[in-house]
Amino acid sequence: MADTTIKVDPAVRDRLQELARDRGITMRDLLTQLAGATPTKEELAQRREETKAYVEEHFLGRPYTEEDEKAGEQLWADVLSGRIGEVQ
């Protein structure tokens, strides 16, 4: 594999070196991990569609609607705000 140079600010370089050192890996390995773990917009869209299809098949038994999305967003907002307590 041929090496290449990526130009970044010294502060970014130093941060990457620190992160790699903390993990006990090289900066090359750190960047490889970051690139592999960060999905593209297309990958995120594919995940969303796969998740939607799974929810429709296994939980809803019908198509996922805009109302379902709004209800999910409201539920998440309630959890984050503390309006919904711990599940026991």
Side-chain angles (χ1 to χ4, degrees):
M1 166 182 358
D3 286 339
T4 189
T5 301
I6 300 173
K7 294 184 180 190
V8 296
D9 292 336
V12 172
R13 180 207 56 220
D14 294 346
R15 175 73 175 168
L16 290 170
Q17 285 177 333
E18 181 180 358
L19 291 170
R21 193 175 320 113
D22 285 351
R23 290 167 173 77
I25 60 176
T26 65
M27 193 183 312
R28 172 189 286 212
D29 290 339
L30 175 70
L31 291 171
T32 300
Q33 288 177 4
L34 290 172
T38 306
T40 64
K41 288 179 183 178
E42 289 174 359
E43 291 166 337
L44 287 172
Q46 181 179 356
R47 280 188 202 173
R48 183 182 191 286
E49 289 306 311
E50 289 169 356
T51 301
K52 180 180 165 189
Y54 185 89
V55 167
E56 289 173 344
E57 180 180 346
H58 296 281
F59 295 101
L60 295 177
R62 60 175 171 73
Y64 182 83
T65 66
E66 190 174 311
E67 288 77 26
D68 294 320
E69 187 166 347
K70 288 178 184 176
E73 289 172 356
Q74 183 60 55
L75 175 63
W76 186 243
D78 290 345
V79 168
L80 290 176
S81 71
R83 287 191 292 268
I84 294 180
E86 293 182 22
V87 177
Q88 302 199 11

